[in-house]
Amino acid sequence: MALVTSFGNRVNPNCLVSGGVKKAGCKVKMEDAPKPRLVIDFDKPGAPLKPPQALCDYLFVADGNDGADWIAPLARILHE
């Protein structure tokens, strides 16, 4: 089973991001990111992790075109 399908079947659709990844002045462009893909927002209702477990803002999951799949945490770094 493809990685994106496997994650998609287990994650609440309310926490999935459609479109770009943008939060608090930070953004990640997805134009060249592999497809199919899912982006999970841990701050949205229904996210699989809750504070204090959620240490990243997003989880990027994609099926690689060459058979190498992608799982990458995306986090903002806050400066004091």
Side-chain angles (χ1 to χ4, degrees), residues 1-16 36-42 46-49 56 58-63 69-73:
M1 178 182 286
L3 190 63
V4 169
T5 302
S6 179
F7 268 80
N9 289 337
R10 291 175 172 80
V11 174
N12 185 325
N14 292 331
C15 65
L16 297 177
R37 64 177 172 249
L38 290 177
V39 179
I40 302 165
D41 185 340
F42 288 112
L49 297 177
C56 63
Y58 300 96
L59 185 65
F60 175 86
V61 179
D63 295 331
D69 295 330
W70 294 60
I71 299 177

mmCIF file of all heavy atoms in Angstrom, residues 1-16 36-42 46-49 56 58-63 69-73:
data_model
loop_
_atom_site.group_PDB
_atom_site.id
_atom_site.type_symbol
_atom_site.label_atom_id
_atom_site.label_comp_id
_atom_site.label_asym_id
_atom_site.label_seq_id
_atom_site.Cartn_x
_atom_site.Cartn_y
_atom_site.Cartn_z
ATOM 1 N N MET A 1 0.849 -1.173 0.000
ATOM 2 C CA MET A 1 0.000 0.000 0.000
ATOM 3 C C MET A 1 0.898 1.242 0.000
ATOM 4 O O MET A 1 1.890 1.294 0.713
ATOM 5 C CB MET A 1 -0.896 -0.011 1.232
ATOM 6 C CG MET A 1 -1.781 1.215 1.331
ATOM 7 S SD MET A 1 -2.816 1.257 2.817
ATOM 8 C CE MET A 1 -4.031 0.026 2.420
ATOM 9 N N ALA A 2 0.559 2.228 -0.769
ATOM 10 C CA ALA A 2 1.340 3.456 -0.837
ATOM 11 C C ALA A 2 1.306 4.188 0.499
ATOM 12 O O ALA A 2 0.318 4.147 1.232
ATOM 13 C CB ALA A 2 0.812 4.341 -1.949
ATOM 14 N N LEU A 3 2.386 4.883 0.809
ATOM 15 C CA LEU A 3 2.516 5.581 2.085
ATOM 16 C C LEU A 3 1.432 6.635 2.280
ATOM 17 O O LEU A 3 0.825 6.724 3.350
ATOM 18 C CB LEU A 3 3.902 6.218 2.167
ATOM 19 C CG LEU A 3 4.320 6.788 3.498
ATOM 20 C CD1 LEU A 3 4.395 5.693 4.550
ATOM 21 C CD2 LEU A 3 5.657 7.476 3.374
ATOM 22 N N VAL A 4 1.162 7.440 1.263
ATOM 23 C CA VAL A 4 0.134 8.484 1.373
ATOM 24 C C VAL A 4 -1.239 7.864 1.633
ATOM 25 O O VAL A 4 -1.988 8.346 2.482
ATOM 26 C CB VAL A 4 0.122 9.374 0.107
ATOM 27 C CG1 VAL A 4 -1.099 10.269 0.076
ATOM 28 C CG2 VAL A 4 1.393 10.207 0.040
ATOM 29 N N THR A 5 -1.562 6.802 0.960
ATOM 30 C CA THR A 5 -2.846 6.118 1.178
ATOM 31 C C THR A 5 -2.919 5.559 2.591
ATOM 32 O O THR A 5 -3.938 5.695 3.263
ATOM 33 C CB THR A 5 -3.043 4.996 0.146
ATOM 34 O OG1 THR A 5 -2.979 5.560 -1.162
ATOM 35 C CG2 THR A 5 -4.368 4.295 0.343
ATOM 36 N N SER A 6 -1.839 4.968 3.042
ATOM 37 C CA SER A 6 -1.807 4.392 4.385
ATOM 38 C C SER A 6 -2.025 5.472 5.448
ATOM 39 O O SER A 6 -2.842 5.302 6.355
ATOM 40 C CB SER A 6 -0.467 3.695 4.611
ATOM 41 O OG SER A 6 -0.399 3.160 5.899
ATOM 42 N N PHE A 7 -1.317 6.590 5.345
ATOM 43 C CA PHE A 7 -1.509 7.696 6.283
ATOM 44 C C PHE A 7 -2.914 8.278 6.139
ATOM 45 O O PHE A 7 -3.569 8.574 7.132
ATOM 46 C CB PHE A 7 -0.473 8.801 6.043
ATOM 47 C CG PHE A 7 0.766 8.668 6.864
ATOM 48 C CD1 PHE A 7 1.756 7.783 6.494
ATOM 49 C CD2 PHE A 7 0.943 9.427 8.004
ATOM 50 C CE1 PHE A 7 2.911 7.662 7.236
ATOM 51 C CE2 PHE A 7 2.095 9.314 8.756
ATOM 52 C CZ PHE A 7 3.089 8.422 8.370
ATOM 53 N N GLY A 8 -3.358 8.478 4.917
ATOM 54 C CA GLY A 8 -4.667 9.080 4.665
ATOM 55 C C GLY A 8 -5.807 8.282 5.267
ATOM 56 O O GLY A 8 -6.814 8.853 5.702
ATOM 57 N N ASN A 9 -5.653 6.972 5.320
ATOM 58 C CA ASN A 9 -6.684 6.112 5.899
ATOM 59 C C ASN A 9 -6.714 6.175 7.418
ATOM 60 O O ASN A 9 -7.682 5.755 8.029
ATOM 61 C CB ASN A 9 -6.487 4.664 5.457
ATOM 62 C CG ASN A 9 -6.810 4.458 4.001
ATOM 63 O OD1 ASN A 9 -7.551 5.229 3.391
ATOM 64 N ND2 ASN A 9 -6.242 3.422 3.415
ATOM 65 N N ARG A 10 -5.655 6.681 8.029
ATOM 66 C CA ARG A 10 -5.549 6.662 9.489
ATOM 67 C C ARG A 10 -5.637 8.043 10.146
ATOM 68 O O ARG A 10 -5.716 8.135 11.360
ATOM 69 C CB ARG A 10 -4.226 6.012 9.891
ATOM 70 C CG ARG A 10 -4.187 4.534 9.581
ATOM 71 C CD ARG A 10 -2.811 3.964 9.887
ATOM 72 N NE ARG A 10 -2.763 2.525 9.793
ATOM 73 C CZ ARG A 10 -2.656 1.841 8.672
ATOM 74 N NH1 ARG A 10 -2.600 2.472 7.526
ATOM 75 N NH2 ARG A 10 -2.615 0.525 8.677
ATOM 76 N N VAL A 11 -5.582 9.097 9.358
ATOM 77 C CA VAL A 11 -5.547 10.458 9.910
ATOM 78 C C VAL A 11 -6.896 11.140 9.703
ATOM 79 O O VAL A 11 -7.503 11.021 8.641
ATOM 80 C CB VAL A 11 -4.426 11.278 9.232
ATOM 81 C CG1 VAL A 11 -4.452 12.720 9.674
ATOM 82 C CG2 VAL A 11 -3.075 10.657 9.525
ATOM 83 N N ASN A 12 -7.343 11.852 10.726
ATOM 84 C CA ASN A 12 -8.586 12.612 10.647
ATOM 85 C C ASN A 12 -8.455 13.661 9.542
ATOM 86 O O ASN A 12 -7.510 14.455 9.558
ATOM 87 C CB ASN A 12 -8.842 13.286 12.001
ATOM 88 C CG ASN A 12 -10.158 14.004 12.072
ATOM 89 O OD1 ASN A 12 -10.624 14.582 11.104
ATOM 90 N ND2 ASN A 12 -10.750 13.984 13.254
ATOM 91 N N PRO A 13 -9.375 13.697 8.581
ATOM 92 C CA PRO A 13 -9.273 14.665 7.482
ATOM 93 C C PRO A 13 -9.311 16.123 7.930
ATOM 94 O O PRO A 13 -8.842 17.005 7.207
ATOM 95 C CB PRO A 13 -10.472 14.347 6.593
ATOM 96 C CG PRO A 13 -11.222 13.256 7.221
ATOM 97 C CD PRO A 13 -10.507 12.810 8.448
ATOM 98 N N ASN A 14 -9.805 16.412 9.145
ATOM 99 C CA ASN A 14 -9.847 17.790 9.648
ATOM 100 C C ASN A 14 -8.459 18.380 9.878
ATOM 101 O O ASN A 14 -8.303 19.591 9.928
ATOM 102 C CB ASN A 14 -10.638 17.865 10.956
ATOM 103 C CG ASN A 14 -12.096 17.582 10.746
ATOM 104 O OD1 ASN A 14 -12.648 17.841 9.689
ATOM 105 N ND2 ASN A 14 -12.735 17.026 11.758
ATOM 106 N N CYS A 15 -7.445 17.527 10.055
ATOM 107 C CA CYS A 15 -6.104 18.044 10.323
ATOM 108 C C CYS A 15 -5.213 18.038 9.080
ATOM 109 O O CYS A 15 -4.032 18.356 9.164
ATOM 110 C CB CYS A 15 -5.440 17.289 11.473
ATOM 111 S SG CYS A 15 -5.121 15.562 11.142
ATOM 112 N N LEU A 16 -5.776 17.708 7.920
ATOM 113 C CA LEU A 16 -5.002 17.728 6.680
ATOM 114 C C LEU A 16 -5.026 19.118 6.062
ATOM 115 O O LEU A 16 -6.040 19.802 6.098
ATOM 116 C CB LEU A 16 -5.552 16.702 5.692
ATOM 117 C CG LEU A 16 -5.469 15.246 6.140
ATOM 118 C CD1 LEU A 16 -6.105 14.338 5.098
ATOM 119 C CD2 LEU A 16 -4.033 14.831 6.425
ATOM 120 N N PRO A 36 1.835 11.862 -5.100
ATOM 121 C CA PRO A 36 0.835 12.345 -4.142
ATOM 122 C C PRO A 36 1.483 12.633 -2.793
ATOM 123 O O PRO A 36 2.512 12.080 -2.451
ATOM 124 C CB PRO A 36 -0.172 11.206 -4.057
ATOM 125 C CG PRO A 36 0.593 9.991 -4.419
ATOM 126 C CD PRO A 36 1.642 10.438 -5.398
ATOM 127 N N ARG A 37 0.825 13.525 -2.030
ATOM 128 C CA ARG A 37 1.351 13.921 -0.733
ATOM 129 C C ARG A 37 0.217 14.270 0.222
ATOM 130 O O ARG A 37 -0.892 14.552 -0.189
ATOM 131 C CB ARG A 37 2.280 15.112 -0.877
ATOM 132 C CG ARG A 37 1.579 16.358 -1.381
ATOM 133 C CD ARG A 37 2.540 17.537 -1.444
ATOM 134 N NE ARG A 37 1.932 18.668 -2.094
ATOM 135 C CZ ARG A 37 2.277 19.150 -3.270
ATOM 136 N NH1 ARG A 37 3.259 18.596 -3.947
ATOM 137 N NH2 ARG A 37 1.655 20.184 -3.777
ATOM 138 N N LEU A 38 0.540 14.248 1.503
ATOM 139 C CA LEU A 38 -0.332 14.710 2.583
ATOM 140 C C LEU A 38 0.486 15.633 3.465
ATOM 141 O O LEU A 38 1.679 15.407 3.661
ATOM 142 C CB LEU A 38 -0.804 13.558 3.470
ATOM 143 C CG LEU A 38 -1.786 12.551 2.941
ATOM 144 C CD1 LEU A 38 -2.015 11.479 3.995
ATOM 145 C CD2 LEU A 38 -3.092 13.218 2.595
ATOM 146 N N VAL A 39 -0.152 16.649 4.006
ATOM 147 C CA VAL A 39 0.474 17.483 5.020
ATOM 148 C C VAL A 39 -0.484 17.506 6.205
ATOM 149 O O VAL A 39 -1.643 17.887 6.079
ATOM 150 C CB VAL A 39 0.748 18.910 4.501
ATOM 151 C CG1 VAL A 39 1.373 19.747 5.605
ATOM 152 C CG2 VAL A 39 1.651 18.876 3.271
ATOM 153 N N ILE A 40 0.018 17.057 7.352
ATOM 154 C CA ILE A 40 -0.777 16.976 8.574
ATOM 155 C C ILE A 40 -0.412 18.163 9.461
ATOM 156 O O ILE A 40 0.763 18.380 9.754
ATOM 157 C CB ILE A 40 -0.502 15.657 9.318
ATOM 158 C CG1 ILE A 40 -0.814 14.466 8.404
ATOM 159 C CG2 ILE A 40 -1.307 15.583 10.614
ATOM 160 C CD1 ILE A 40 -0.240 13.151 8.893
ATOM 161 N N ASP A 41 -1.415 18.938 9.894
ATOM 162 C CA ASP A 41 -1.210 20.093 10.775
ATOM 163 C C ASP A 41 -1.542 19.656 12.199
ATOM 164 O O ASP A 41 -2.697 19.355 12.509
ATOM 165 C CB ASP A 41 -2.112 21.254 10.337
ATOM 166 C CG ASP A 41 -1.874 22.529 11.129
ATOM 167 O OD1 ASP A 41 -1.315 22.441 12.245
ATOM 168 O OD2 ASP A 41 -2.265 23.599 10.646
ATOM 169 N N PHE A 42 -0.539 19.638 13.064
ATOM 170 C CA PHE A 42 -0.734 19.165 14.433
ATOM 171 C C PHE A 42 -1.478 20.161 15.318
ATOM 172 O O PHE A 42 -1.838 19.837 16.439
ATOM 173 C CB PHE A 42 0.603 18.793 15.068
ATOM 174 C CG PHE A 42 1.175 17.523 14.507
ATOM 175 C CD1 PHE A 42 2.321 17.545 13.746
ATOM 176 C CD2 PHE A 42 0.550 16.313 14.715
ATOM 177 C CE1 PHE A 42 2.849 16.384 13.217
ATOM 178 C CE2 PHE A 42 1.053 15.139 14.192
ATOM 179 C CZ PHE A 42 2.215 15.173 13.441
ATOM 180 N N GLY A 46 -8.444 17.183 15.726
ATOM 181 C CA GLY A 46 -8.382 15.838 15.160
ATOM 182 C C GLY A 46 -6.977 15.369 14.852
ATOM 183 O O GLY A 46 -6.781 14.258 14.365
ATOM 184 N N ALA A 47 -5.959 16.197 15.134
ATOM 185 C CA ALA A 47 -4.570 15.798 14.875
ATOM 186 C C ALA A 47 -4.206 14.591 15.733
ATOM 187 O O ALA A 47 -4.687 14.453 16.851
ATOM 188 C CB ALA A 47 -3.630 16.960 15.167
ATOM 189 N N PRO A 48 -3.349 13.719 15.200
ATOM 190 C CA PRO A 48 -3.015 12.492 15.943
ATOM 191 C C PRO A 48 -2.180 12.728 17.197
ATOM 192 O O PRO A 48 -2.164 11.895 18.080
ATOM 193 C CB PRO A 48 -2.237 11.662 14.927
ATOM 194 C CG PRO A 48 -1.797 12.602 13.876
ATOM 195 C CD PRO A 48 -2.757 13.753 13.886
ATOM 196 N N LEU A 49 -1.478 13.847 17.303
ATOM 197 C CA LEU A 49 -0.702 14.171 18.498
ATOM 198 C C LEU A 49 -1.227 15.460 19.103
ATOM 199 O O LEU A 49 -1.615 16.371 18.388
ATOM 200 C CB LEU A 49 0.779 14.348 18.153
ATOM 201 C CG LEU A 49 1.502 13.136 17.596
ATOM 202 C CD1 LEU A 49 2.934 13.504 17.241
ATOM 203 C CD2 LEU A 49 1.485 11.984 18.583
ATOM 204 N N CYS A 56 6.359 19.279 16.334
ATOM 205 C CA CYS A 56 6.521 19.951 15.048
ATOM 206 C C CYS A 56 5.165 20.520 14.650
ATOM 207 O O CYS A 56 4.140 20.152 15.199
ATOM 208 C CB CYS A 56 7.064 19.013 13.982
ATOM 209 S SG CYS A 56 5.990 17.633 13.577
ATOM 210 N N TYR A 58 3.967 20.574 11.384
ATOM 211 C CA TYR A 58 3.385 19.769 10.306
ATOM 212 C C TYR A 58 4.178 18.483 10.137
ATOM 213 O O TYR A 58 5.348 18.407 10.512
ATOM 214 C CB TYR A 58 3.458 20.512 8.967
ATOM 215 C CG TYR A 58 2.732 21.822 8.926
ATOM 216 C CD1 TYR A 58 3.398 23.012 9.146
ATOM 217 C CD2 TYR A 58 1.365 21.870 8.639
ATOM 218 C CE1 TYR A 58 2.740 24.232 9.090
ATOM 219 C CE2 TYR A 58 0.705 23.078 8.583
ATOM 220 C CZ TYR A 58 1.390 24.257 8.808
ATOM 221 O OH TYR A 58 0.729 25.451 8.748
ATOM 222 N N LEU A 59 3.539 17.508 9.512
ATOM 223 C CA LEU A 59 4.233 16.309 9.059
ATOM 224 C C LEU A 59 3.944 16.173 7.572
ATOM 225 O O LEU A 59 2.778 16.135 7.160
ATOM 226 C CB LEU A 59 3.757 15.069 9.812
ATOM 227 C CG LEU A 59 4.524 13.784 9.487
ATOM 228 C CD1 LEU A 59 5.979 13.904 9.939
ATOM 229 C CD2 LEU A 59 3.863 12.590 10.161
ATOM 230 N N PHE A 60 4.993 16.161 6.757
ATOM 231 C CA PHE A 60 4.882 16.035 5.305
ATOM 232 C C PHE A 60 5.099 14.568 4.955
ATOM 233 O O PHE A 60 6.083 13.961 5.369
ATOM 234 C CB PHE A 60 5.953 16.906 4.635
ATOM 235 C CG PHE A 60 6.027 16.763 3.147
ATOM 236 C CD1 PHE A 60 5.205 17.514 2.329
ATOM 237 C CD2 PHE A 60 6.913 15.884 2.563
ATOM 238 C CE1 PHE A 60 5.265 17.389 0.954
ATOM 239 C CE2 PHE A 60 6.992 15.746 1.185
ATOM 240 C CZ PHE A 60 6.162 16.508 0.389
ATOM 241 N N VAL A 61 4.169 13.974 4.189
ATOM 242 C CA VAL A 61 4.243 12.577 3.770
ATOM 243 C C VAL A 61 4.022 12.535 2.266
ATOM 244 O O VAL A 61 3.059 13.128 1.765
ATOM 245 C CB VAL A 61 3.151 11.726 4.480
ATOM 246 C CG1 VAL A 61 3.214 10.285 4.034
ATOM 247 C CG2 VAL A 61 3.267 11.840 5.981
ATOM 248 N N ALA A 62 4.909 11.854 1.533
ATOM 249 C CA ALA A 62 4.753 11.780 0.081
ATOM 250 C C ALA A 62 5.266 10.451 -0.435
ATOM 251 O O ALA A 62 6.178 9.846 0.138
ATOM 252 C CB ALA A 62 5.495 12.919 -0.615
ATOM 253 N N ASP A 63 4.648 10.006 -1.523
ATOM 254 C CA ASP A 63 5.137 8.836 -2.244
ATOM 255 C C ASP A 63 6.203 9.312 -3.219
ATOM 256 O O ASP A 63 5.952 10.196 -4.042
ATOM 257 C CB ASP A 63 4.005 8.158 -3.026
ATOM 258 C CG ASP A 63 2.945 7.579 -2.108
ATOM 259 O OD1 ASP A 63 3.270 7.204 -0.969
ATOM 260 O OD2 ASP A 63 1.784 7.503 -2.530
ATOM 261 N N ASP A 69 10.091 6.871 -0.457
ATOM 262 C CA ASP A 69 9.016 7.682 0.113
ATOM 263 C C ASP A 69 9.592 8.759 1.026
ATOM 264 O O ASP A 69 10.742 8.704 1.437
ATOM 265 C CB ASP A 69 8.050 6.794 0.895
ATOM 266 C CG ASP A 69 7.326 5.807 -0.008
ATOM 267 O OD1 ASP A 69 7.114 6.124 -1.188
ATOM 268 O OD2 ASP A 69 6.978 4.724 0.472
ATOM 269 N N TRP A 70 8.748 9.766 1.332
ATOM 270 C CA TRP A 70 9.148 10.910 2.138
ATOM 271 C C TRP A 70 8.308 10.997 3.405
ATOM 272 O O TRP A 70 7.095 10.906 3.342
ATOM 273 C CB TRP A 70 8.895 12.198 1.370
ATOM 274 C CG TRP A 70 9.695 12.439 0.144
ATOM 275 C CD1 TRP A 70 9.724 11.658 -0.970
ATOM 276 C CD2 TRP A 70 10.545 13.532 -0.112
ATOM 277 N NE1 TRP A 70 10.543 12.212 -1.905
ATOM 278 C CE2 TRP A 70 11.056 13.373 -1.409
ATOM 279 C CE3 TRP A 70 10.911 14.651 0.625
ATOM 280 C CZ2 TRP A 70 11.932 14.284 -1.973
ATOM 281 C CZ3 TRP A 70 11.777 15.556 0.057
ATOM 282 C CH2 TRP A 70 12.285 15.365 -1.226
ATOM 283 N N ILE A 71 8.964 11.211 4.537
ATOM 284 C CA ILE A 71 8.303 11.603 5.782
ATOM 285 C C ILE A 71 9.202 12.672 6.398
ATOM 286 O O ILE A 71 10.363 12.402 6.701
ATOM 287 C CB ILE A 71 8.127 10.436 6.770
ATOM 288 C CG1 ILE A 71 7.260 9.346 6.160
ATOM 289 C CG2 ILE A 71 7.540 10.935 8.087
ATOM 290 C CD1 ILE A 71 7.089 8.129 7.055
ATOM 291 N N ALA A 72 8.676 13.891 6.540
ATOM 292 C CA ALA A 72 9.503 14.997 7.040
ATOM 293 C C ALA A 72 8.720 15.864 8.010
ATOM 294 O O ALA A 72 7.656 16.369 7.660
ATOM 295 C CB ALA A 72 9.995 15.851 5.871
ATOM 296 N N PRO A 73 9.226 16.046 9.233
ATOM 297 C CA PRO A 73 8.601 17.004 10.144
ATOM 298 C C PRO A 73 8.966 18.417 9.711
ATOM 299 O O PRO A 73 10.096 18.680 9.289
ATOM 300 C CB PRO A 73 9.208 16.657 11.499
ATOM 301 C CG PRO A 73 10.510 15.995 11.178
ATOM 302 C CD PRO A 73 10.347 15.353 9.831
#
